[in-house]
Amino acid sequence: MTRTSTEPARTWFAVLPDCPSAAPAATALRDLAPERIDHPSGRPWIFGHWPRHALALGGAGRSRVALLGQHTVTPRELSHAAARLQSPFALDGLARSTPGSAHLIASVDGVVRVQGSITSMRRLCHARVGEVTVAADRADVLARLTGAPLDESRLALRLLEPLILPPLTRTPVWRGVTDVPGGSWLLLDPAGRPRHVRWWTPPQPVLPMTEGAPALRDALGAAVAVRTDGRAAVSCDLGGLDSTAVCSLAAHRAPRVIACTVALRDARGDDVLWAARTSAALDAVEHQVIAAEDVPLFYAGVRRLDDPLEEPTSSGERERGLVTVRRAAALGSRTHLTGMGGDELLYGSLAHLHTLARTRPASAARLIRGFAAKYRWPRAAVLRQLADSRPYGAWLASVADHLTEPPTPLNEPLLAWGFTPRLPPWTTPDAVTAVRDLVRRVARGAPPLAERRGQHRELAAMQAVSRVAAEVEELGARIGVTVASPYYDDRVVEAALAVRPEDRISPWRYKPLIVEAMRGVVPEESRTRQTKATADCDEAPGLRRHRAELLALWEDSRLARLGLIDAGAVREVCARPLDPRLGMDVLYQTVACETWLRALERHFTGASDQQEESWL
């Protein structure tokens, strides 16, 4: 491994096939990457920039194996694994057993395997560079290499709310850049040709709570240990039940834990109260409360976002997302754990009831009655969704027919394959047509993420929200903090999905699986908490306080230049309190796309050659 320059701010990697035709791609990467690792043949294999502690590299004979990310695997262990390899397919065992969250990269006798994670928290893309395919963990790296233009229809797709539509959810916005689905790995053959290989399918949800809860406790404990062991101090979010579980596990392993709780402007928010109870009962926990007035409102700094991230994500919340990370860093933490991903994994999808109605009708009937009463589901809508047995591709195709309709009612049952997203009313007719055509084209034969509708929705939600977690991780790395979200780890996801849905979801108990799993770990006075605080009350004040900045966004709007939105229409919406029928999230998506385009433009038009190279 060689280092060729000082370390830039961003972390990334690109992987080349083991063939002479990859030489032009290697030449293009050589001047941009401070790190380089070669194939056993001596040809360039991996370029990029990453923290020294994130890489483990081992090899034997004509095989080399690397793990890059958050893990505890040693080079010696990888060398032992490499010595036994006959093909990259033989690495499935390592992929299925390693705790933590990391990319797996292997070169075995001229064949390359590159693998991300189930939830796409460890993302993987590829593109054609010259005569070969190059893989990378960032789509913008490949766009830079290939000179790929933006794909306007893919960017228009990002206006959808919610964008939870596999396989479109993580589609790169750059033309010619392809996403590798979670649960698949990329094979590059000796000629540099790509192939997606499915290596993972969801477990059958058959474990009773008595077996599933201890399994989840073990998996989550191992995930936390990856981030805590050997460190003098770590920090954690300490707010809701999910982060409380992570913080409590960390407190049982780390000598010093800095627990950060964000106070809310909403008088009903009770996170601080519960966090104080938890921290008082745990040894080695230093509790830090961040006052509500010290937390930026939504849209804070929206006009100052000059650094383009990989893709449009949560511009309205970027400053808010870093509040606890910055506080922890100021107190000496270099590793920060969050509870992100817990809601999608632990609350459980109510679409499991669609399958249960066919396999265990008595159990399903009881649960459906409970959820219908709790959420005021209309009886006719429940029966209609229960009777809908269309395959996923047919359901996805039907989404295209409803893109411009009013939002679905808040009491719409959740038994279908997914949410039916909407485009905002300021979307242009041409953009609507482009999104509709894209959805219909992809829907033909589109497979679900799991055979069971409930598991599909859970995985789809995790793959969508992991974009936000990855953004927080990237921004944390820029200030010297490794941000970890253990609920997105493969082993944790598997453990939760293996539990029977009738044990995981309940209208009468809040997240029963994590409650049982944390028995004896989370202090008893906090373990059975049934409330969840939100920051919804910060949305309207954020729009009001930062209205001038938001209105300025739509002057010479970049989205309008591309023909995707009517800037005057969205400006009118921002000029007054948001219509509650529209929903704040719809505006977030548009703001995210606009600010991302502006940041991208400023970076490439205003940067010197040296600054442009440092972007990677």
Side-chain angles (χ1 to χ4, degrees):
M1 184 175 73
T2 60
R3 179 181 295 271
T4 62
S5 67
T6 59
E7 294 189 6
R10 298 171 185 265
T11 61
W12 61 279
F13 70 79
V15 180
L16 277 60
D18 189 5
C19 59
S21 301
T27 299
L29 286 164
R30 188 171 289 116
D31 293 334
L32 299 174
E35 311 279 5
R36 169 181 160 179
I37 304 172
D38 289 342
H39 286 283
S41 66
R43 297 188 185 100
W45 178 30
I46 308 173
F47 286 97
H49 163 64
W50 49 81
R52 294 178 183 273
H53 61 80
L55 175 70
L57 175 66
R62 293 181 55 80
S63 298
R64 274 194 166 184
V65 183
L67 277 177
L68 192 53
Q70 299 172 7
H71 61 89
T72 55
V73 178
T74 66
R76 183 175 182 179
E77 291 172 317
L78 291 180
S79 293
H80 287 162
R84 298 190 298 269
L85 288 179
Q86 299 298 317
S87 83
F89 290 86
L91 284 165
D92 282 2
L94 178 66
R96 295 180 189 280
S97 62
T98 304
S101 179
H103 284 94
L104 171 63
I105 311 171
S107 176
V108 183
D109 201 19
V111 180
V112 172
R113 173 174 180 159
V114 196
Q115 179 177 315
S117 61
I118 294 168
T119 64
S120 296
M121 181 67 185
R122 301 292 161 217
R123 191 182 188 184
L124 189 60
C125 306
H126 60 89
R128 192 77 175 175
V129 181
E131 299 179 12
V132 300
T133 294
V134 175
D137 64 332
R138 296 178 61 106
D140 52 1
V141 169
L142 295 173
R144 175 76 181 280
L145 276 178
T146 61
L150 281 172
D151 187 310
E152 287 87 351
S153 62
R154 293 182 180 185
L155 185 60
L157 190 73
R158 297 304 180 99
L159 301 175
L160 281 172
E161 172 53 37
L163 179 51
I164 308 178
L165 288 178
L168 290 166
T169 308
R170 301 301 296 268
T171 300
V173 296
W174 305 98
R175 199 169 299 161
V177 180
T178 302
D179 182 61
V180 178
S184 294
W185 56 272
L186 177 67
L187 182 149
L188 299 177
D189 70 14
R193 294 171 298 208
R195 177 158 64 98
H196 293 181
V197 179
R198 189 76 180 170
W199 74 275
W200 184 86
T201 54
Q204 290 297 312
V206 296
L207 289 183
M209 182 70 80
T210 53
E211 298 178 31
L216 177 61
R217 180 175 62 244
D218 292 345
L220 189 59
V224 170
V226 166
R227 282 81 176 196
T228 58
D229 288 4
R231 292 169 176 83
V234 299
S235 54
C236 302
D237 288 345
L238 180 56
L241 189 59
D242 309 331
S243 59
T244 297
V246 170
C247 185
S248 298
L249 286 164
H252 284 80
R253 303 193 69 94
R256 181 190 177 208
V257 175
I258 304 164
C260 299
T261 304
V262 175
L264 299 175
R265 292 175 173 85
D266 188 346
R268 298 169 298 174
D270 55 357
D271 277 353
V272 172
L273 172 65
W274 286 102
R277 293 174 180 174
T278 302
S279 59
L282 293 172
D283 295 331
V285 171
E286 303 172 20
H287 191 207
Q288 294 283 321
V289 177
I290 300 171
E293 56 269 23
D294 293 335
V295 180
L297 290 168
F298 287 90
Y299 302 113
V302 75
R303 289 281 288 172
R304 301 191 302 273
L305 300 178
D306 294 331
D307 52 338
L309 299 174
E310 181 193 4
E311 58 186 5
T313 315
S314 56
S315 296
E317 299 183 70
R318 186 186 295 191
E319 290 299 315
R320 296 170 60 86
L322 282 178
V323 165
T324 56
V325 181
R326 291 188 193 279
R327 174 65 65 88
L331 294 170
S333 173
R334 292 296 173 262
T335 300
H336 185 81
L337 287 79
T338 82
M340 297 180 73
D343 283 339
E344 296 75 40
L345 184 64
L346 299 173
Y347 188 79
S349 170
L350 304 189
H352 281 293
L353 300 173
H354 187 276
T355 302
L356 280 175
R358 290 154 173 77
T359 57
R360 288 187 285 279
S363 296
R366 177 175 175 269
L367 290 169
I368 290 170
R369 284 194 297 268
F371 282 113
K374 182 176 182 178
Y375 297 121
R376 300 181 182 274
W377 288 347
R379 178 182 176 85
V382 171
L383 294 176
R384 183 179 65 253
Q385 289 193 8
L386 285 174
D388 185 356
S389 58
R390 288 176 296 173
Y392 177 66
W395 175 86
L396 181 57
S398 73
V399 166
D401 300 328
H402 306 285
L403 296 177
T404 58
E405 293 180 1
T408 55
L410 293 177
N411 65 341
E412 180 78 4
L414 303 173
L415 311 179
W417 280 107
F419 295 105
T420 305
R422 299 292 191 264
L423 286 167
W426 48 81
T427 310
T428 63
D430 286 348
V432 172
T433 298
V435 173
R436 184 173 287 132
D437 291 346
L438 181 58
V439 171
R440 286 173 175 161
R441 185 166 63 251
V442 171
R444 299 189 191 105
L449 300 178
E451 291 182 3
R452 294 171 178 262
R453 192 172 290 193
Q455 285 187 332
H456 166 85
R457 285 194 71 151
E458 288 158 353
L459 289 166
M462 296 197 79
Q463 289 186 4
V465 182
S466 68
R467 292 184 301 163
V468 180
E471 176 186 288
V472 174
E473 182 178 313
E474 178 180 347
L475 294 171
R478 296 185 188 182
I479 59 173
V481 178
T482 298
V483 179
S485 300
Y487 288 110
Y488 288 110
D489 289 9
D490 289 359
R491 305 290 81 75
V492 178
V493 172
E494 289 171 335
L497 295 187
V499 179
R500 296 186 308 193
E502 59 267 42
D503 290 347
R504 290 178 55 211
I505 61 174
S506 170
W508 305 284
R509 297 181 66 194
Y510 183 61
K511 298 181 179 177
L513 177 56
I514 194 66
V515 169
E516 293 303 318
M518 290 296 105
R519 191 181 294 274
V521 176
V522 171
E524 197 61 23
E525 55 266 39
S526 302
R527 184 179 65 87
T528 55
R529 175 185 176 183
Q530 296 292 303
T531 61
K532 178 178 176 62
T534 71
D536 293 349
C537 66
D538 284 0
E539 294 175 342
L543 179 59
R544 187 166 56 249
R545 180 176 298 180
H546 301 292
R547 178 165 284 129
E549 295 173 84
L550 286 168
L551 290 174
L553 275 182
W554 314 118
E555 298 174 3
D556 193 20
S557 163
R558 278 41 171 190
L559 285 170
R561 283 188 196 175
L562 294 174
L564 302 182
I565 67 166
D566 178 342
V570 68
R571 183 179 171 85
E572 282 295 314
V573 169
C574 292
R576 55 181 56 88
L578 200 65
D579 186 337
R581 293 170 299 179
L582 188 61
M584 191 68 70
D585 289 348
V586 174
L587 184 58
Y588 290 160
Q589 295 298 107
T590 304
V591 171
C593 292
E594 179 69 28
T595 54
W596 183 80
L597 284 173
R598 287 173 176 265
L600 204 65
E601 177 186 87
R602 281 193 292 267
H603 185 89
F604 285 111
T605 59
S608 66
D609 291 343
Q610 183 178 1
Q611 288 172 323
E612 221 175 289
E613 289 184 4
S614 73
W615 177 62
L616 291 180

